[in-house]
Amino acid sequence: VLEPGLAVIDCGGVGYGCRVTAYTAAQLKLEQKAKLYITESIREDAYDLYGFCSREEQRCYELLTSVTGVGPKAAMSILSLLTPEKFALAVCTEDTKAISKASGIGPKTAARIVLELKDKLIKEHGGEFTAAPDLGSGAKSGGAPARGKLSEALDALMVLGYQRAEATNVLKSLPTEQMT
C-alpha cells in the first residue's frame, strides 16, 4: 500500500493506481487475486481510476458524483464512512447527519445529496413504492412514518442492485433507532 485509499492493481505486469474506499481496501489482501468494479474519471489534467468491491458500492459512487458539488473525493469520503446499505438508508430517511460525518461534507452538501438522490431513486424505480414487507421488530409502534421509511429504504436498496430478500435482511439487521 503506497498510501491510504490507494490500491495498485497488477494487470498483466502493469500496475495501475486505483483509489478505493476504506471498505474496499479492507477486503483486499496483498498478493491475492481480487475483483474490482472500476469507474474512470477522465479530466483535462488527470486520468483516475476508482475501484469498488461490489456493484452496489460502485452504483452509490456514480449516484454521488452526479450530485451538484460532489466530486470523486467527496464521494469516496462518504463511501469510506457508510456502506452502500447505510448510505441508501441515510438518503431515504433523510439522515443528513450521518452523511455529513464524512470528511469534507457539510450539512448543506449532505442536504443537497439527500434531495437530489432521493428523487433519482424514486424516478429510477418508476415512482412507485411498494409496501414494505414485515421486518419484524424493526419498526417502532406508531407505524406509518417508520413503515414509509422502511419501504423507501427497501426500494432504494433494490435500485442499487440488491434482490428483495437481501435488502429485507439488511434492513432487519439495522438498529431500530435508524428506522425512525
Side-chain angles (χ1 to χ4, degrees):
V1 175
L2 299 174
E3 61 184 70
L6 181 70
V8 177
I9 308 300
D10 179 5
C11 294
V14 177
Y16 293 95
C18 181
R19 298 279 169 203
V20 295
T21 64
Y23 177 74
T24 295
Q27 306 303 311
L28 300 175
K29 305 290 184 238
L30 191 61
E31 303 296 326
Q32 288 187 359
K33 286 187 178 186
K35 181 177 183 177
L36 292 179
Y37 298 93
I38 303 293
T39 298
E40 301 171 310
S41 175
I42 302 171
R43 298 185 318 247
E44 185 177 302
D45 60 340
Y47 180 83
D48 296 317
L49 299 175
Y50 297 91
F52 308 94
C53 64
S54 70
R55 289 192 189 275
E56 293 82 14
E57 190 177 34
Q58 182 184 36
R59 179 67 180 135
C60 286
Y61 171 84
E62 291 168 353
L63 284 170
L64 278 164
T65 55
S66 73
V67 174
T68 305
V70 178
K73 185 176 179 181
M76 296 299 278
S77 175
I78 292 168
L79 292 174
S80 286
L81 178 71
L82 301 170
T83 64
E85 298 88 2
K86 289 182 180 177
F87 172 72
L89 183 63
V91 169
C92 288
T93 59
E94 299 180 13
D95 186 2
T96 57
K97 286 184 181 181
I99 297 169
S100 64
K101 288 180 183 176
S103 176
I105 305 298
K108 287 182 182 180
T109 303
R112 187 178 320 114
I113 288 168
V114 167
L115 178 67
E116 289 188 31
L117 294 187
K118 191 170 182 182
D119 289 345
K120 282 186 179 186
L121 292 174
I122 291 170
K123 194 177 288 185
E124 283 183 19
H125 200 45
E128 297 177 18
F129 284 109
T130 58
D134 179 20
L135 298 176
S137 61
K140 287 188 173 183
S141 62
R147 180 157 292 284
K149 288 181 180 182
L150 285 172
S151 176
E152 290 178 11
L154 175 68
D155 288 332
L157 289 171
M158 290 174 61
V159 166
L160 291 174
Y162 287 89
Q163 298 298 320
R164 180 174 289 277
E166 292 174 312
T168 301
N169 287 336
V170 166
L171 292 174
K172 281 182 182 178
S173 70
L174 294 173
T176 304
E177 58 272 5
Q178 289 187 1
M179 294 295 131
T180 57

